[in-house]
């Protein structure tokens, strides 16, 4: 102007102010604005140009000052451009209330809003820290009332506002979008990106995939923002929805390598548990940032791959990317998931050496790593260090500490931490209560369990399934089946089904307490819940039922075992009891079924097949099949596994009752076969009642063809008598302490009576019974035999 000897006019000043505003030079724009006013140029165009510069430089305070100045100037009239610029400035400064006030002022002046006005208002609503949905939808109604279509700018702002609202109005937003499309609006990529962000915040994978299908039909371009939003939306979706999203990711190779898209894909792989695909995506990232590395470390943590997490951290170091506190926390979390507390401690120390101050997150992850390894003392040390550094402890930290107490089986430490939580004003959550109950249950602190459960129930808390299980098992260990049943009933009322292990423990506790009916009903509930009968519980309930003379129920329980698990065999004591009670109840076919199973499974005698009842057994369909492998079952193959005297006595009673049952049915061949099985047990030797042997001897005398077996039976009588005499002699003999060596000697040590087991007469040989028979005693004392046979 000076060269051409011209003076600048209003247009020149307005252009210069706008140029300064676009260059973010607000001070220069202000100087030009003041110079223009100094030369007498005070027009609405000049003021609006300066307001535009304030909006571009995000200075709402200066814009409001100029607005007040315009209102005071008579020559300057506030118009539509003024309010549009002010609303835009308020939107850029994220001040929705000021935008609402400007909107109300222009309506009072009778200025009709335009599409730009509503677009700026919706942008202001979307930028609010707390979105006012009522205002957003009222603006949409105003647009419809003014008979203006929602253009792409307004629609994008509207969808962005809905996406940032809580809760997300997904259905209402889609209705508005569909109306716009039906009205002829063709959404651009920005609108679709905002729509996919809406689906992502609403965690609606199905809607997001429908939007992508609609984009494909309309030929709309899928940019990196849309692809990132799609992957984020499918993060909480099903496996098939995630697979579809990843297919879209692979299809758009031109956008798939953008860092923001790869980060979203890695996050989706981490959520869906796809470490191999995540590794493929990670290798194709062109410019990985710290978020990329942190997300990949999280993928390794999800896969419990601590070595992989360390490898990604090494890649970060080589690439020159500075790790953050979140990076170290992710590696420590991976170490915790892998159960490597030493690696977690090493990275925690490395974090301090790099000058990164630990936060609540890293302290908690380190405590979590120590807790999962059962390292209570180091976890408490980190907890004290955390307090010394002034870091406020959260309820999550206390949860990790209580888990350490559970794994270390230290109820006292858990109770102390619980008291400290209340003292510091940290209210325990449901997890803390549940962990505290489990710690007390494992340590047998039943006195505290009831109080804690009452407090949790009074506060409306939820008791976890594992907590119910721990309490029931603790009560069973304490032999309190009644309380355990009460807790189990409470558990079912809250839709928790006890596991088979807990039900088995409850059955065994009821049996041990003598509550046979409770044990039987609990056992039936266990089967009704679909649990397979456990061996220990089945044996316990069968023994309890037989002890209560409820033979039919005991047989029903054993039949249930065979129906559910045909290859499961009861323990020898249970089978012995079944044989005994079936023999006493004259259910000889069943008795022989269990007897055969006992012999084939635990003793495996090599003998000929039975006659009589044995034939009836096979005819009745009691096929035993191939004997089970004892090595695979972890059981003994001989009677040596019968450790207690009570078990040996039960086995002798079984043989006696079975022999008598066969004799009563005149099945002498089967009775003698059982008798031979009894004699084969030498470790420990079996013993039956003398009256049983006398009954068998009498049957052999009266039955043609079995007269020679009388000698075997009488020999067994003599052997049992000698054993009884030896036992009594050993009880009455005193042991002396030798003064030469520290050992006990028995005076009759070298005078033990010699026994010779009776030989089998199957070969028809002479029945020599004792060594004394060779000295002239050719036959047994007939007076003794007749007196014993009665």
């Amino acid at each position: 102007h000076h060269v051409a000897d011209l003076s600048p006019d209003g247009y020149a000043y307005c252009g210069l102010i706008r140029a300064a505003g676009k260059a973010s030079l607000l001070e220069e724009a202000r100087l030009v604005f003041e110079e223009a006013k100094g030369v007498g140029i005070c027009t609405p165009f000049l003021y609006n140009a300066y307001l535009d510069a304030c909006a571009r430089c995000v200075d709402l305070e200066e814009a409001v000052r100029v607005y007040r100045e315009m209102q005071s100037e008579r020559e300057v009239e506030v118009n539509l451009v003024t309010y549009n610029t002010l609303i835009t400035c308020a939107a850029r400064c994220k001040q929705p209330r000021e935008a609402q006030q400007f909107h109300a002022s222009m309506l009072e002046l009778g200025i009709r809003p335009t599409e730009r006005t509503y677009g700026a208002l919706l942008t202001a609503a979307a930028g609010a820290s707390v979105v006012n949905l009522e205002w957003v939808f009222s603006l949409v109604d105003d647009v419809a009332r003014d008979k203006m279509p929602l253009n792409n700018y307004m629609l994008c702002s509207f969808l962005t506002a809905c996406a940032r609202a809580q809760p997300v109005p997904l259905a209402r937003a889609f209705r508005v979008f569909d109306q716009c499309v039906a009205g002829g609006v063709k959404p651009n990529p920005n609108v679709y990106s905002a729509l996919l962000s809406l689906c992502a915040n609403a965690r609606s994978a199905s809607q997001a995939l429908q939007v992508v299908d609609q984009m494909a039909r309309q030929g709309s371009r899928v940019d990196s923002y849309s692809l990132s939003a799609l992957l984020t939306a499918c993060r909480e979706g099903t496996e098939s929805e995630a697979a579809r999203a990843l297919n879209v990711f692979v299809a758009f190779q031109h956008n798939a390598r953008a860092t923001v898209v790869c980060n979203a894909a890695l996050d989706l792989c981490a959520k869906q548990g796809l470490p191999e695909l995540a590794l493929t995506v990670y290798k194709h990232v062109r410019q990985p940032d710290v978020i990329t590395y942190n997300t990949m470390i999280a993928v390794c943590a999800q896969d419990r791959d601590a070595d992989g997490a360390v490898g990604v951290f090494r890649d970060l170091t080589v690439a020159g990317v500075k790790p953050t506190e979140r990076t170290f926390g992710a590696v420590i979390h991976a170490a915790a998931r892998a159960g490597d507390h030493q690696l977690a401690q090493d990275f925690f120390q490395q974090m301090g050496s790099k000058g990164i101050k630990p936060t609540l997150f890293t302290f908690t992850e380190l405590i979590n790593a120590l807790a999962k390894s059962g390292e209570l003392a180091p976890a408490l040390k980190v907890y004290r260090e955390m307090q010394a550094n002034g870091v406020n402890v959260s309820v999550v930290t206390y949860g990790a500490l209580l888990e350490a107490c559970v794994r270390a089986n230290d109820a006292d430490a858990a109770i102390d931490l619980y008291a400290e939580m209340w003292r510091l004003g940290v209210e325990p959550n449901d997890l803390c209560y549940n962990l505290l109950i489990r710690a007390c249950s494992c340590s047998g602190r039943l006195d505290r369990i009831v109080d804690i459960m009452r407090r949790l129930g009074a506060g409306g808390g939820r008791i976890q399934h594992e907590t119910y299980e721990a309490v029931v098992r603790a009560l069973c260990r304490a032999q309190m089946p009644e309380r355990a049943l009460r807790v189990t009933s409470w558990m079912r009322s809250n839709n928790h089904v006890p596991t088979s292990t807990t039900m088995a423990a409850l059955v065994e506790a009821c049996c041990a307490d003598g509550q046979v009916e409770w044990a039987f009903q609990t056992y039936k509930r266990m089967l009704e819940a679909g649990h397979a009968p456990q061996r220990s519980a089945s044996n316990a309930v069968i023994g309890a039922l037989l002890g209560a003379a409820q033979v039919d129920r005991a047989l029903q329980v054993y039949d249930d075992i065979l129906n559910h698990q045909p290859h499961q065999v009861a323990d020898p004591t249970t089978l012995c009891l079944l044989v005994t009670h079936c023999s006493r109840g004259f259910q000889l076919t069943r008795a022989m079924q269990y007897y055969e199973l006992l012999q084939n499974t635990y003793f495996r005698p090599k003998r000929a097949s039975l006659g009589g009842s044995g034939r009836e057994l096979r005819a009745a369909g009691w096929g035993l099949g191939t004997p089970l492998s004892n090595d695979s079952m972890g059981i003994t193959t001989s009677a040596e596994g019968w450790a207690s005297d009570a078990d040996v006595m039960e086995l002798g009673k079984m043989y006696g009752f079975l022999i008598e049952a066969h004799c009563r049915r005149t099945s002498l061949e089967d009775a003698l076969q059982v008798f031979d099985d009894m004699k084969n047990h030498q470790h420990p030797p079996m013993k039956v009642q003398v009256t049983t042997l006398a009954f068998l001897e009498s049957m052999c005398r009266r039955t043609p063809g079995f007269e020679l077996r009388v000698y075997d039976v009488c020999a067994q009588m003599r052997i049992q008598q000698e054993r009884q005499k030896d036992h009594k002699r050993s009880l009455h003999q005193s042991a002396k302490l030798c003064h030469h060596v520290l050992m006990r000697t028995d005076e009759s040590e070298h005078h033990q009576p010699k026994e010779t087991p009776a030989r089998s007469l199957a070969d028809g040989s002479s029945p020599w019974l004792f060594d004394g028979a060779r000295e002239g005693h050719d036959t047994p004392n007939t007076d003794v035999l007749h007196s014993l046979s009665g």
Side-chain angles (χ1 to χ4, degrees), residues 614-763:
R615 287 190 294 271
E616 296 174 8
L617 179 66
R618 284 184 286 275
W622 297 100
L624 298 175
T626 305
L628 301 180
S629 172
N630 298 316
D631 297 335
S632 63
M633 296 175 60
I635 58 179
T636 57
T637 59
S638 69
E640 295 176 358
W642 295 59
S644 66
D645 294 336
D647 289 337
V648 176
M649 186 178 298
E650 287 295 335
L651 188 59
K653 288 171 60 178
M654 178 201 72
Y655 282 121
F657 279 112
L658 195 56
I659 291 171
E660 290 184 10
H662 281 302
C663 289
R664 288 190 180 92
R665 288 191 54 176
T666 64
S667 301
L668 186 56
E669 183 181 352
D670 294 343
L672 288 171
Q673 185 62 70
V674 176
F675 171 75
D676 292 337
D677 291 338
M678 183 268 295
K679 290 195 305 176
N680 288 333
H681 290 292
Q682 300 296 331
H683 303 287
M686 294 294 105
K687 175 184 177 181
V688 296
Q689 294 292 330
V690 177
T691 55
T692 303
L693 294 175
F695 187 16
L696 180 60
E697 182 265 341
S698 176
M699 290 293 298
C700 291
R701 283 181 178 278
R702 295 198 300 266
T703 306
F706 291 93
E707 295 87 352
L708 293 179
R709 297 303 302 269
V710 173
Y711 297 99
D712 285 343
V713 179
C714 293
Q716 183 64 26
M717 292 183 190
R718 178 63 181 272
I719 292 172
Q720 291 187 181
Q721 288 176 354
E722 292 295 333
R723 287 172 183 163
Q724 187 174 3
K725 289 179 182 179
D726 293 342
H727 180 65
K728 290 181 179 179
R729 190 180 300 116
S730 64
L731 292 178
H732 289 87
Q733 288 176 347
S734 59
K736 297 192 302 181
L737 183 65
C738 179
H739 65 279
H740 294 291
V741 292
L742 294 177
M743 63 178 292
R744 303 182 71 86
T745 60
D746 194 348
E747 292 178 336
S748 59
E749 177 180 355
H750 304 289
H751 299 85
Q752 296 294 332
K754 185 183 296 183
E755 296 181 1
T756 302
R759 299 186 225 169
S760 174
L761 301 180
D763 56 354

Side-chain angles (χ1 to χ4, degrees), residues 182-258:
V185 177
K186 185 178 181 180
N188 60 16
N190 293 333
V191 173
Y192 279 119
S193 178
L195 190 61
L196 287 169
S197 298
L198 174 72
C199 297
N201 291 347
R203 298 181 179 181
S204 178
S206 59
Q207 291 280 57
L209 291 170
Q210 291 178 11
V211 171
V212 173
D213 292 340
Q214 184 175 350
M215 293 175 68
R217 288 193 300 269
Q218 294 183 358
S220 180
R221 178 174 55 89
V222 179
D223 57 12
S224 59
Y225 297 103
S226 300
L227 193 53
S228 175
L230 171 65
L231 294 169
T232 304
C234 294
R235 184 176 181 271
E236 302 293 336
T238 62
E239 185 177 350
S240 61
E241 291 171 340
R244 287 186 60 190
L246 290 172
N247 288 335
V248 175
F249 167 75
V250 174
F252 290 91
Q253 292 290 338
H254 57 284
N255 292 324
R257 294 196 177 188

Side-chain angles (χ1 to χ4, degrees), residues 39 44 73 96 128 145 152 163 219 290 325 348 356 484 511-512 540 693 699 703:
V39 296
E73 291 287 343
R145 187 175 57 250
N152 281 323
V290 68
E325 177 267 339
F348 186 80
I356 301 176
C511 293
L693 294 175
M699 290 293 298
T703 306

Side-chain angles (χ1 to χ4, degrees), residues 296-298 300-301 305-314 330-331 334-335 343 347:
M296 190 60 205
I297 292 173
C300 296
D305 185 8
D307 294 337
V310 174
V312 175
F313 184 85
R314 193 180 298 115
V331 178
L343 178 64
F347 265 87

Side-chain angles (χ1 to χ4, degrees), residues 36 60 85 143 162 277 310 329 412 448 514 660 680 712 751 755:
L60 182 60
T85 308
V143 173
C162 292
L277 182 58
V310 174
D412 294 333
R448 299 301 302 267
E660 290 184 10
N680 288 333
D712 285 343
H751 299 85
E755 296 181 1

